[in-house]
Amino acid sequence: MTQLPTANKDKAKRVEVIISQLDSLPTLPAVAARLLQATSDSQANAKQVVQLIQADQSLTATVLSLARRANTGAGGNVSTIDKAVVLMGFNAIRNAVLSIKVFEAFGPTKQDWQTAFDRAEFWKHSLAVACAARLVAQTLAGRVKVDPEEVFVCGLLHDLGKVALDSCLPKSFDRVVRLANSNHACIADVERQILDIDHTVAGRRLGERWHLPDPIVQCMWLHHHSPDALPLSISHGEHVKIVHLADVIARHQRIGYSGNWPGEDNPTELAERLGINKQRLDRILTELPEQIEQRASIIGLENLTSNELYAQALAEANHELARLNVSLNATNLGLQVRNQYFKALSHLTQAVSPRDSLQQICVAAAESVRQALDLGAVLTFARQVEDGYLDVALVDPDRDQKITEIFSPEGDCLLTGELDDVTVESARGGAWIVPAAPQAQALVDRYASQLGSGPYWLMPIVRDQDWLGGAVFTAPAKSVAARRNDAEELESLSTSIGLVIANTQIRQAADRLSEDLAETGRRIHQMQNQLLRTRSLSVIAEMAAGAAHELNNPLAVITGRAQLLRDQTNDPKLRQALDLINEHAHQCSAIVTELMEFARPQPPRSQSISLAEILHKVRASWLAKSWLTEGQFVLRLSDALPAVWFDPAQLEQVLDEVISNAIEAMNPKDGRLGINCLTEPSDDRVVLTVEDNGRGMDAEVLGKACDPFFSHRPAGRNRGLGLARAFRWVEANTGRLRLESKPGQGTTVVLELPTAKASIEESAESAPSTLTV
């Protein structure tokens, strides 16, 4: 067997508990029960029916009154129950008695406490449905085999389940009625929501318990079903369709109280589907109040006149119209407010673009807040996540120029981190506008003259309960209080602006990350090239050291043997030849010495030195030994040039090599050499540039300029170790050397030298700490 889910089991159990309480309801009065049994028996006779009615004096009087009204042609001659039974028939008598006795069991009663379910008005509605059903059945006579008196009882008892629920569960059903009335909802939906059972099911169970005729039970169960929704298996569908139409008619005529509002059902359309045109329906509506007046006294609703019904229906219609008018006005006002917020959000969407800065976003946000709240000057601000600064924008319709700037707040008085508890509770309570102090007091103090006189208010701009910024403005307290009803719209405006700000912050962070990655990639590539050059130089240096070591001994033998042979001969030509051999051997030895110096330079003895003194010394030396004049060799230095951390001898050699190459590349007639050093004292490196206006180098030559043994000068002029040695000296002193050059535009040598202060601090940080005990 299929197991019900736990929730469905609980629901089914609650329904059965409620249905079981129907046993506590009053039973169908005995006379009505016996009369139902008697009239249902094919062997019943008029004598049995007459005896049952005569046993109840009040019932006797009511049946005689009903018989006289039913047969106006007989006048007042119907004076006995025998004649009434013969005149009206078993079914009419049964239905009349049933109506009377059910009303006696569940008629209007006085409650110990005031209930929302008005039974007197309920029975008015039930009687209106009954009379309308009877008139519909009479109109359909000949086309549908339905007894008008039988369908009258079906209509009168169709909502009996409501009275049953009110009797079994008075407090719960009172809650159902109040909720249905306040929301103008279908009472059956509210019943199922609160009780898990509706009045149609309760009515069906009660009808079966009382052994009521099947047409009545089916109408009690299915009267809310439209003709198309009725189960095909029911045996009295025509009764249900007529009662359904009658119920819709009574609700649209606003007669009594049913708990169901007119709704979307159209009585004209329903009538046409049953074969009743609009003219016949209008006749039914005209006759209905009089029919209700005639039948009211039969079930105990005395003094119910057609004029009273018309007045009540008119009053109900006017009340509903007034309610709808109030609701419509409130809806229109709400739509106007929402339209204002919608326009503000549309402006925000149209005003911003993906590449806008935070200040531009703040301008668009200020315009949107001003438009949404109908304000004057509005200041918006957004936090810069990384550094704590604020991007601020102030928009004033009376000023053409908008104020935008970056503001640095002092202390923690501005919005930071998560929302504080007070603001969270205020926002949950609908107060999305709070006093500006203390969170935005610094902004108020700074921009009070532009914002105007107070009071000052703050609308937080948030996303996921994090402060992203806010809007500051002035407004009367009453105006702000009225905005408490706009909590949903204010929250939407705040979070929309917050989303735009957050997206901009994310995009800016992504841009910065992309730029940092690009710079890191550039530096890595540069370091890779530098590392490759360093490794290449190291390899070349090792090769040069090995070659120099291997060449020293042969050169020593050549020099010694040449000198020995020279001393042993007197032939001038031979002596001249031996001198030449000796001379070139010494040149080879000098080359070997240079190779050794390049391969294994002396370790630097770095110290704090005055760069200015070194530069002036080197300049004076070259002015003395070269064709450069004072005007051709210019030295431009900062006034407070910091000391550098370098080996002084190696620094002089580096400058000599650079200047030597520059002089070789320039024309003595118009050559110009300049050394510039305009570094800030706070920098941790000194940048020195040596610029010449010589012939320059193309990209291929520039890439090999620092390679050992490479020279772009004519053959025999140099061995190509000058810049290579300079590069290794600078590198050994933790500096950097790079070249910039173009053919015909000269060459610039850039030297980055560590300052003495930075080197000392770095040494101190890397030195191991000591602990004295």
Side-chain angles (χ1 to χ4, degrees):
M1 184 173 64
T2 303
Q3 294 293 323
L4 290 173
T6 303
N8 291 341
K9 284 184 176 180
D10 293 342
K11 177 180 177 180
K13 185 175 181 180
R14 287 195 299 271
V15 171
E16 290 303 322
V17 168
I18 293 174
I19 291 175
S20 68
Q21 294 188 37
L22 296 177
D23 293 335
S24 64
L25 295 176
T27 59
L28 187 66
V31 64
R34 288 196 295 271
L35 187 62
L36 276 176
Q37 183 178 5
T39 53
S40 299
D41 188 355
S42 60
Q43 303 298 323
N45 53 52
K47 184 176 180 180
Q48 290 176 312
V49 174
V50 169
Q51 290 175 348
L52 287 172
I53 295 175
Q54 287 177 339
D56 190 323
Q57 293 182 358
S58 62
L59 183 59
T60 299
T62 303
V63 169
L64 290 176
S65 175
L66 180 61
R68 295 188 189 104
R69 293 186 182 184
N71 190 31
T72 55
N77 295 329
V78 182
S79 58
T80 64
I81 295 299
D82 302 74
K83 290 184 178 181
V85 172
V86 173
L87 179 65
M88 298 179 62
F90 283 0
N91 288 339
I93 292 295
R94 178 192 64 185
N95 293 336
V97 172
L98 185 60
S99 302
I100 294 167
K101 290 304 177 181
V102 170
F103 183 81
E104 289 178 357
F106 292 106
T109 58
K110 292 184 179 180
Q111 301 282 354
D112 295 334
W113 55 285
Q114 187 175 2
T115 176
F117 185 62
D118 189 336
R119 289 199 183 185
E121 292 298 316
F122 164 79
W123 281 109
K124 285 182 186 179
H125 166 76
S126 299
L127 181 59
V129 174
C131 293
R134 183 173 180 274
L135 289 172
V136 170
Q138 289 175 343
T139 303
L140 294 175
R143 286 177 289 172
V144 177
K145 294 182 180 180
V146 175
D147 183 1
E149 292 300 330
E150 185 176 43
V151 84
F152 173 89
V153 180
C154 290
L156 185 67
L157 303 183
H158 78 287
D159 264 348
L160 195 61
K162 294 176 184 176
V163 186
L165 292 176
D166 181 53
S167 299
C168 293
L169 307 165
K171 293 187 177 180
S172 296
F173 193 69
D174 177 71
R175 181 184 170 200
V176 168
V177 174
R178 293 182 188 276
L179 187 59
N181 290 345
S182 62
N183 295 343
H184 278 226
C186 173
I187 195 171
D189 294 337
V190 182
E191 289 167 346
R192 286 189 291 272
Q193 176 185 345
I194 296 179
L195 305 176
D196 291 326
I197 186 175
D198 61 34
H199 64 275
T200 63
V201 175
R204 178 191 180 188
R205 297 298 180 92
L206 182 63
E208 291 172 346
R209 177 174 174 267
W210 282 357
H211 304 290
L212 296 179
D214 286 344
I216 299 176
V217 174
Q218 289 185 6
C219 288
M220 295 169 71
W221 176 32
L222 301 171
H223 63 271
H224 282 308
H225 287 59
S226 64
D228 295 336
L230 287 175
L232 297 176
S233 59
I234 64 170
S235 56
H236 300 282
E238 298 300 331
H239 291 74
V240 177
K241 294 176 183 178
I242 291 173
V243 171
H244 176 68
L245 172 60
D247 184 34
V248 172
I249 290 173
R251 283 191 275 123
H252 275 264
Q253 294 298 306
R254 302 182 187 280
I255 301 175
Y257 172 79
S258 70
N260 291 90
W261 302 91
E264 298 179 356
D265 292 328
N266 189 325
T268 303
E269 293 180 0
L270 289 174
E272 288 178 351
R273 293 167 70 178
L274 291 181
I276 300 174
N277 58 29
K278 190 174 187 306
Q279 183 178 2
R280 292 181 178 180
L281 178 62
D282 291 341
R283 189 181 304 124
I284 291 174
L285 297 180
T286 303
E287 295 176 3
L288 181 59
E290 184 179 352
Q291 289 286 322
I292 295 173
E293 181 178 354
Q294 291 177 3
R295 294 275 180 161
S297 60
I298 296 175
I299 65 171
L301 292 175
E302 289 82 1
N303 302 323
L304 182 61
T305 65
S306 58
N307 290 334
E308 180 185 347
L309 291 175
Y310 278 124
Q312 182 183 15
L314 183 61
E316 287 290 335
N318 289 335
H319 175 73
E320 180 66 12
L321 184 61
R323 188 195 65 80
L324 289 176
N325 189 44
V326 172
S327 176
L328 183 61
N329 289 336
T331 301
N332 286 336
L333 182 59
L335 288 175
Q336 291 176 5
V337 172
R338 292 198 171 194
N339 185 52
Q340 195 170 356
Y341 282 100
F342 178 76
K343 286 182 177 179
L345 290 175
S346 297
H347 173 271
L348 177 68
T349 303
Q350 296 171 4
V352 300
S353 63
R355 302 305 303 178
D356 281 350
S357 65
L358 268 181
Q359 287 188 359
Q360 291 171 312
I361 298 298
C362 287
V363 170
E367 290 281 9
S368 298
V369 173
R370 194 185 68 79
Q371 185 174 349
L373 303 182
D374 194 20
L375 300 169
V378 173
L379 179 146
T380 56
F381 61 94
R383 292 191 300 112
Q384 295 182 3
V385 178
E386 294 182 354
D387 50 23
Y389 288 90
L390 301 179
D391 282 286
V392 176
L394 193 148
V395 174
D396 187 348
D398 297 332
R399 300 171 184 264
D400 295 334
Q401 188 174 6
K402 301 174 179 63
I403 299 176
T404 57
E405 66 177 355
I406 296 178
F407 178 63
S408 176
E410 296 180 359
D412 297 328
C413 59
L414 278 160
L415 313 178
T416 55
E418 295 184 352
L419 295 170
D420 58 83
D421 294 338
V422 176
T423 307
V424 170
E425 292 302 321
S426 298
R428 287 175 180 169
W432 274 92
I433 301 176
V434 297
Q439 288 95 339
Q441 188 61 48
L443 287 171
V444 170
D445 294 341
R446 182 176 178 83
Y447 299 99
S449 60
Q450 290 88 357
L451 288 171
S453 58
Y456 299 98
W457 305 95
L458 167 67
M459 186 188 82
I461 296 175
V462 300
R463 184 172 181 264
D464 297 334
Q465 290 208 356
D466 281 344
W467 286 110
L468 296 182
V472 180
F473 53 86
T474 63
K478 291 183 179 179
S479 175
V480 171
R483 292 290 178 180
R484 290 183 178 273
N485 296 327
D486 306 342
E488 183 178 348
E489 290 79 8
L490 285 169
E491 181 178 6
S492 177
L493 179 63
S494 173
T495 52
S496 297
I497 297 174
L499 180 61
V500 175
I501 291 176
N503 288 340
T504 302
Q505 291 175 336
I506 292 171
R507 190 256 304 162
Q508 289 181 340
D511 288 345
R512 287 192 293 270
L513 179 60
S514 177
E515 293 165 358
D516 291 343
L517 287 175
E519 176 62 17
T520 302
R522 185 191 66 81
R523 291 184 178 181
I524 290 174
H525 180 70
Q526 190 177 50
M527 292 175 65
Q528 286 176 339
N529 290 337
Q530 185 176 355
L531 180 60
L532 180 61
R533 181 179 294 275
T534 301
R535 288 181 177 177
S536 298
L537 289 177
S538 298
V539 172
I540 294 172
E542 290 300 323
M543 291 176 59
H549 178 74
E550 295 298 327
L551 289 173
N552 268 335
N553 289 335
L555 286 175
V557 172
I558 292 171
T559 302
R561 291 298 185 267
Q563 184 65 37
L564 180 63
L565 290 174
R566 182 184 182 282
D567 294 339
Q568 292 177 355
T569 184
N570 293 320
D571 186 350
K573 291 184 178 181
L574 183 57
R575 289 175 66 90
Q576 184 179 2
L578 291 172
D579 287 339
L580 183 61
I581 292 174
N582 192 36
E583 178 184 352
H584 281 277
H586 279 291
Q587 289 181 5
C588 289
S589 180
I591 293 174
V592 170
T593 301
E594 288 184 16
L595 286 175
M596 292 299 294
E597 290 178 355
F598 168 75
R600 293 170 184 164
Q602 289 293 327
R605 297 179 180 179
S606 301
Q607 57 184 285
S608 178
I609 59 175
S610 171
L611 180 60
E613 291 182 4
I614 297 290
L615 291 174
H616 282 291
K617 178 181 178 182
V618 170
R619 179 174 181 269
S621 173
W622 280 97
L623 287 176
K625 63 184 179 181
S626 71
W627 50 262
L628 289 171
T629 65
E630 293 278 350
Q632 291 177 306
F633 192 170
V634 180
L635 194 63
R636 290 183 290 270
L637 305 177
S638 297
D639 293 337
L641 198 62
V644 296
W645 190 261
F646 215 96
D647 185 313
Q650 291 183 354
L651 181 56
E652 289 185 24
Q653 289 174 313
V654 169
L655 292 172
D656 284 341
E657 291 291 350
V658 171
I659 294 173
S660 175
N661 277 274
I663 291 175
E664 289 288 342
M666 293 188 295
N667 189 334
K669 293 181 181 180
D670 56 1
R672 293 288 186 273
L673 181 64
I675 297 180
N676 302 311
C677 188
L678 304 175
T679 308
E680 293 290 334
S682 60
D683 294 342
D684 60 354
R685 298 180 79 84
V686 174
V687 179
L688 180 72
T689 61
V690 181
E691 303 175 9
D692 66 62
N693 63 345
R695 57 180 174 269
M697 295 176 283
D698 58 23
E700 182 180 359
V701 175
L702 184 64
K704 300 178 180 179
C706 290
D707 292 347
F709 311 114
F710 174 81
S711 178
H712 191 48
R713 302 187 184 101
R717 297 285 299 274
N718 206 312
R719 285 180 287 277
L721 288 175
L723 286 178
R725 284 199 303 265
F727 184 87
R728 285 177 65 82
W729 286 327
V730 172
E731 184 184 59
N733 285 272
T734 68
R736 291 182 59 195
L737 183 151
R738 66 179 186 274
L739 304 178
E740 299 172 0
S741 183
K742 289 185 178 181
Q745 297 182 17
T747 300
T748 300
V749 179
V750 181
L751 291 170
E752 294 183 14
L753 310 177
T755 62
K757 178 181 178 182
S759 298
I760 293 173
E761 291 177 351
E762 183 179 352
S763 299
E765 290 177 358
S766 61
S769 60
T770 58
L771 177 64
T772 303
V773 180

